[in-house]
């Protein structure tokens, strides 16, 4: 059976214009795994409130980071795809969970090349309801409806794979070389606390306290919080970071429900108030730079730090199309193709 790969990232509006941003946000926020409340309440919140106020502000943010070639996330993802294509012997397509580059289009592209077996590759190191799970569910729905004879296998979360940690650590080390920093902040995309509990396959382990994420459990296979903390721990170990010179936080919260803490913006503010004058920040929940890294962290985060008296604010890029990252993903794909 001919094999192929579908890389899947989050997505982006077609342009930074409010109309396109509104369309994109509508699809994204109406996903039941992003805002996981009953449909009627979700529609009222999203269409009745958020989409009447947020698109204009979000469009302004997108305009700040938009590249001449297009959306940074899309451009970077295509570069990654092209580089991987040059290293593997099977077709590699690219899709987005939201927006015009749909998963259906990606699967169709592979099927038209004679592919019968697909490796679905969510470009997320950690598992989360609102990222990996929604991709898997959407892909399966599309397969049943349009490609019933297609076999799909997915790549599990790779947050703790030693070769991934090696590549991530090497990238961080390279960007920190020669940079004055007193503290390294690992900022991950936040999720509502209820998502952690909903993903707990044991139905009892996840307490979101100081011990559950470090106590061995089968729940960790799908626990986003554990997986984020584990990336921080493994990288700190690899880079031999001193205790107290690094920490973990969570960004991009939405609404008023409790989200994973500590919050990134408040952590940056606290570090500045405590006298840290030079800090660095890395965002390991993202493999491609995007609005959340280029605007929320590199611009807004830096502004907060400077307002608190900070000097040097070093933003470490995502792995993007880094050659070591390309080599790693290509190796995983080639190993799968041999089986």
């Amino acid at each position: 059976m001919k094999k192929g790969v579908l890389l899947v990232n989050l997505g982006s509006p077609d342009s930074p214009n409010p109309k396109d941003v509104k369309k994109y946000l509508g699809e994204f926020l109406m996903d039941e795994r992003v805002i996981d409340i009953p449909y009627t309440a979700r529609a009222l919140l999203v269409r009745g409130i958020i989409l009447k106020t947020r698109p204009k502000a979000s469009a302004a943010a997108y305009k700040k980071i938009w590249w001449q070639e297009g959306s940074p996330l899309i451009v970077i993802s295509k570069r990654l795809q092209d580089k991987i294509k040059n290293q593997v012997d099977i077709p590699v397509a690219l899709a987005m969970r939201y927006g015009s580059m749909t998963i259906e289009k990606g699967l169709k592209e592979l099927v038209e090349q004679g592919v019968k077996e697909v490796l679905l590759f969510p470009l997320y190191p950690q598992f989360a309801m609102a990222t990996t799970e929604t991709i898997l569910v959407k892909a399966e729905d599309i397969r049943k409806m349009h490609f019933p004879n297609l076999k799909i296998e997915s790549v599990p979360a790779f947050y703790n794979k030693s070769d991934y940690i090696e590549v991530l650590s090497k990238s961080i080390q390279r960007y920190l070389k020669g940079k004055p920093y007193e503290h390294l902040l690992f900022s991950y995309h936040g999720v509502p606390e209820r998502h952690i509990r909903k993903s707990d396959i044991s139905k009892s382990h996840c307490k979101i306290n100081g011990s559950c994420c470090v106590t061995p459990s089968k729940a960790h296979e799908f626990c986003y919080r554990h997986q984020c903390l584990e990336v921080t721990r493994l990288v700190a170990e690899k880079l031999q970071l001193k205790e107290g010179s690094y920490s973990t936080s969570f960004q991009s919260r939405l609404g008023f429900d409790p989200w994973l803490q500590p919050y990134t913006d408040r952590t940056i503010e606290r570090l500045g108030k405590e006298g840290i004058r030079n800090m660095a920040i890395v965002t390991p929940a993202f493999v491609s730079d995007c609005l959340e890294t280029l605007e929320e962290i590199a611009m807004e985060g830096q502004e907060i730090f400077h307002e608190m008296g900070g000097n040097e604010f070093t933003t470490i890029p995502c792995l993007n199309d880094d050659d070591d990252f390309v080599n790693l993903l290509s190796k995983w794909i080639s190993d799968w193709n041999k089986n």
Side-chain angles (χ1 to χ4, degrees):
M1 292 198 344
K2 186 173 182 180
K3 294 182 174 183
V5 179
L6 182 61
L7 305 173
V8 187
N9 213 328
L10 177 72
S12 171
D14 290 332
S15 82
N17 293 323
K19 184 178 178 181
D20 286 335
V21 173
K22 181 177 181 179
K23 180 182 177 183
Y24 173 77
L25 287 178
E27 182 187 4
F28 172 52
L29 296 175
M30 281 303 294
D31 185 339
E32 64 181 356
R33 286 173 174 80
V34 174
I35 297 182
D36 54 323
I37 58 178
Y39 177 83
T40 303
R42 186 166 69 252
L44 182 63
L45 174 64
V46 174
R47 294 169 182 160
I49 301 175
I50 296 176
L51 293 184
K52 290 183 177 179
T53 58
R54 191 172 177 124
K56 189 174 180 181
S58 293
Y62 273 109
K63 282 179 182 176
K64 291 180 187 176
I65 58 102
W66 208 261
W67 291 350
Q68 188 173 352
E69 309 101 298
S71 160
L73 182 141
I74 302 292
V75 173
I76 291 166
S77 298
K78 286 180 176 178
R79 291 175 184 170
L80 178 67
Q81 175 198 16
D82 290 341
K83 286 187 175 182
I84 291 174
K85 275 184 174 180
N86 291 331
Q87 293 202 24
V88 301
D89 299 323
I90 56 177
V92 180
L94 173 67
M96 300 290 151
R97 175 58 183 88
Y98 311 104
S100 56
M101 293 178 61
T102 64
I103 292 174
E104 183 179 343
K105 287 179 183 176
L107 290 175
K108 186 171 184 285
E109 178 185 329
L110 293 173
V111 168
E112 288 177 346
Q113 294 178 71
V115 169
K116 305 292 185 184
E117 187 175 351
V118 172
L119 180 65
L120 185 66
F121 205 135
L123 291 171
Y124 299 104
Q126 303 88 10
F127 176 92
M129 271 177 57
T131 54
T132 310
E133 185 176 311
T134 188
I135 288 173
L136 301 182
V137 171
K138 185 69 173 180
E140 180 58 14
D141 288 345
I142 292 169
R143 186 198 68 79
K144 287 178 180 176
M145 186 175 297
H146 300 286
F147 313 105
N149 297 320
L150 191 64
K151 181 180 178 183
I152 296 180
E153 184 178 336
S154 63
V155 174
F158 50 88
Y159 69 98
N160 60 350
K161 282 184 169 285
S162 59
D163 41 7
Y164 163 70
I165 295 297
E166 175 75 32
V167 168
L168 178 60
S169 300
K170 185 178 175 182
S171 174
I172 293 170
Q173 191 172 46
R174 183 169 68 250
Y175 282 104
L176 286 180
K177 188 175 181 181
K179 294 284 173 59
Y181 78 97
E182 302 152 64
H183 195 90
L184 174 60
L185 182 61
F186 291 76
S187 177
Y188 300 86
H189 199 291
V191 299
E193 290 183 355
R194 65 178 182 274
H195 282 203
I196 303 299
R197 296 187 177 94
K198 280 188 175 183
S199 299
D200 181 3
I201 56 175
S202 74
K203 302 302 179 187
S204 61
H205 180 77
C206 293
K207 308 295 184 188
I208 314 182
N209 56 22
S211 63
C212 63
C213 283
V214 295
T215 304
S217 170
K218 62 182 180 180
H220 291 171
E221 183 181 355
F222 301 105
C223 179
Y224 178 73
R225 183 174 183 268
H226 162 79
Q227 294 180 9
C228 292
L229 295 175
E230 191 67 359
V231 170
T232 298
R233 185 188 71 81
L234 291 170
V235 170
E237 187 177 87
K238 191 79 177 175
L239 296 179
Q240 298 181 322
L241 301 178
K242 295 179 181 178
E243 192 68 36
S245 70
Y246 65 93
S247 58
T248 295
S249 63
F250 299 90
Q251 63 184 85
S252 312
R253 64 190 182 277
L254 174 68
F256 302 102
D257 290 337
W259 280 49
L260 292 181
Q261 296 188 41
Y263 300 136
T264 294
D265 53 357
R266 293 179 186 173
T267 301
I268 293 171
E269 183 178 331
R270 176 181 60 78
L271 289 170
K273 285 180 177 178
E274 290 176 354
I276 296 295
R277 290 295 166 260
N278 303 297
M279 69 170 288
I281 188 164
V282 63
T283 50
F286 307 90
V287 300
S288 308
D289 275 309
C290 54
L291 184 70
E292 288 82 358
T293 65
L294 298 172
E295 198 270 342
E296 183 181 355
I297 296 300
M299 295 180 185
E300 291 184 9
Q302 178 174 256
E303 185 178 343
I304 293 170
F305 190 58
H306 287 166
E307 285 176 354
M308 294 299 110
N311 296 324
E312 193 76 21
F313 186 85
T314 300
T315 306
I316 298 169
C318 296
L319 289 173
N320 294 325
D321 61 337
D322 176 270
D323 286 344
D324 289 336
F325 188 50
V326 171
N327 293 340
L328 177 60
L329 300 194
S330 300
K331 178 184 181 300
W332 289 348
I333 291 168
S334 296
D335 288 347
W336 172 78
N337 186 37
K338 293 173 186 175
N339 294 332

